[in-house]
Amino acid sequence: MTSKPNSNALKVFPRRHLLTCEGLSANEINFVLDLADKAADHIRQNGKKRDVLDGRTLINLFFESSTRTQASFEMAGKRLGADVMNMNVATSSVTKGETLVDTAVTLNAMRPDIIVVRHHAAGAVELLSQKVDCSVINAGDGAHQHPTQALLDALTIRRAKGRVAGLTVAICGDILHSRVARSNINVLNALGAQVRLVAPSTLLPSSPERLGTEVYTDMWKGIDGVDVVMMLRLQRERMDASYVPSSREFFHFFGLDHEKLARAKPDALVMHPGPMNRGVEIASTVADHSRSVIREQVEMGVAVRMAVLEALSAHLPSFKDVA
């Protein structure tokens, strides 16, 4: 017997897809975080499966490899009782010339309930969502958005600090190529945090002030007095050598070590979405420090993805409707 979907979701979270964090309201975000809080506690207490998605089919469609994100969506789906299928795109018809639209039409004919998509091109996930009848979740599209990462980051902060509103969060590193940064800016601003961007000028987007943030090109000043230091991966696969002289020089000026971290508040959190380049963005001793919540971010990833799946499940047609 399938559990009834959360009745509040239809009112508080009226979205059929989760494609972007842009435009999400504080009420919508907090609704998902509240669900994720309960999911995290449920996992820690007994870890038993729930049946919110019993009889539903979830497809993970990853055009870019990401062990962490794909595994957490798979685990989240299974914990909610869904049948989960992981598509290995590297060996699929896509490598033989099939277009994204062809893939969408093919998958739609299989009548899945939810598709989780990661793609190297910005906007590709939204295009796919227009070609299918089911709900679609963006698991990262190019340098555009990564909604569930931003939500799990917000949950990690909220559980550690008790709130997000009023905190000062410094997002540091490769802002230009980071979908994580863009999504976090949207979520943190919506929740009332003060956001700083800290990066060399070559790794900042054009007119970064328009994002509703403070901008620093000096790491020492940028993290002075902040509550959270969120480091980003240096995405060399999306850049050429002209962006940074060398990894060693980048770490010297913008890598997080204990000396720089001392400028933040004594109880400041250290975060990183992973995978980490130790000694490039962050010193190993800082990544493994007691102030680091990087492991908690991984744990919250499953809980947030369970919450998103549950929120979207309220918008799925009932089995009576499709009979």
Side-chain angles (χ1 to χ4, degrees):
M1 186 174 181
T2 305
S3 300
K4 291 182 180 180
N6 191 308
S7 58
N8 288 332
L10 292 170
K11 297 179 180 179
V12 185
F13 196 86
R15 299 170 187 269
R16 180 171 158 239
H17 309 298
L18 180 61
L19 304 177
T20 178
C21 291
E22 190 172 4
L24 285 178
S25 68
N27 284 341
E28 289 176 299
I29 295 167
N30 281 317
F31 175 74
V32 173
L33 298 187
D34 290 343
L35 286 179
D37 250 332
K38 295 176 183 177
D41 293 340
H42 178 81
I43 293 170
R44 286 184 174 182
Q45 289 168 8
N46 53 43
K48 291 182 180 179
K49 287 186 178 180
R50 298 168 58 204
D51 57 1
V52 173
L53 293 180
D54 185 34
R56 304 291 188 180
T57 301
L58 168 68
I59 296 179
N60 281 328
L61 180 63
F62 278 54
F63 294 86
E64 280 186 330
S65 61
S66 175
T67 302
R68 184 179 311 197
T69 303
Q70 182 171 325
S72 65
F73 267 113
E74 181 178 4
M75 185 172 291
K78 289 181 176 179
R79 285 189 182 277
L80 293 177
D83 297 316
V84 182
M85 182 178 79
N86 294 318
M87 281 197 63
N88 188 347
V89 178
T91 59
S92 74
S93 299
V94 174
T95 60
K96 302 172 186 176
E98 182 175 272
T99 67
L100 180 64
V101 173
D102 292 332
T103 300
V105 171
T106 300
L107 292 178
N108 196 52
M110 299 178 186
R111 297 188 179 278
D113 295 288
I114 301 173
I115 301 178
V116 179
V117 187
R118 168 166 287 198
H119 200 280
H120 55 82
V125 181
E126 183 174 1
L127 174 63
L128 187 143
S129 72
Q130 297 169 1
K131 306 298 179 182
V132 297
D133 298 321
C134 64
S135 293
V136 174
I137 299 172
N138 184 358
D141 62 330
H144 179 224
Q145 285 277 325
H146 193 352
T148 56
Q149 180 66 51
L151 291 170
L152 75 87
D153 290 342
L155 180 63
T156 303
I157 294 171
R158 196 175 79 167
R159 286 173 72 95
K161 293 289 189 180
R163 62 189 173 94
V164 176
L167 299 180
T168 302
V169 181
I171 304 176
C172 311
D174 187 1
I175 310 292
L176 179 63
H177 302 98
S178 178
R179 55 196 171 206
V180 173
R182 285 167 176 75
S183 294
N184 263 294
I185 291 167
N186 295 148
V187 169
L188 293 171
N189 278 338
L191 293 179
Q194 181 179 4
V195 182
R196 299 181 184 179
L197 302 182
V198 184
S201 58
T202 54
L203 292 178
L204 286 169
S206 59
S207 304
E209 298 83 3
R210 294 183 302 176
L211 299 173
T213 64
E214 296 179 357
V215 181
Y216 294 82
T217 55
D218 184 315
M219 181 79 165
W220 297 87
K221 294 179 180 179
I223 66 173
D224 186 45
V226 302
D227 300 284
V228 181
V229 182
M230 183 183 296
M231 303 305 298
L232 300 173
R233 183 172 67 87
L234 194 62
Q235 300 189 42
R236 292 196 173 276
E237 72 276 12
R238 303 185 194 276
M239 65 176 74
D240 55 46
S242 64
Y243 285 95
V244 291
S246 68
S247 296
R248 183 176 180 179
E249 186 167 346
F250 180 84
F251 180 74
H252 176 72
F253 288 103
F254 290 94
L256 187 63
D257 53 23
H258 284 286
E259 192 175 3
K260 296 188 189 74
L261 182 58
R263 298 296 293 268
K265 288 184 179 178
D267 61 346
L269 303 179
V270 173
M271 305 181 73
H272 194 300
M276 289 182 289
N277 293 312
R278 292 173 181 257
V280 178
E281 305 119 16
I282 188 169
S284 287
T285 52
V286 174
D288 300 328
H289 195 268
S290 59
R291 290 160 68 178
S292 169
V293 290
I294 295 172
R295 291 182 182 178
E296 285 80 356
Q297 286 176 270
V298 177
E299 180 185 1
M300 291 306 108
V302 176
V304 159
R305 281 146 190 155
M306 287 177 66
V308 170
L309 291 171
E310 182 174 350
L312 293 181
S313 72
H315 304 274
L316 296 176
S318 69
F319 291 113
K320 291 181 180 180
D321 295 335
V322 297

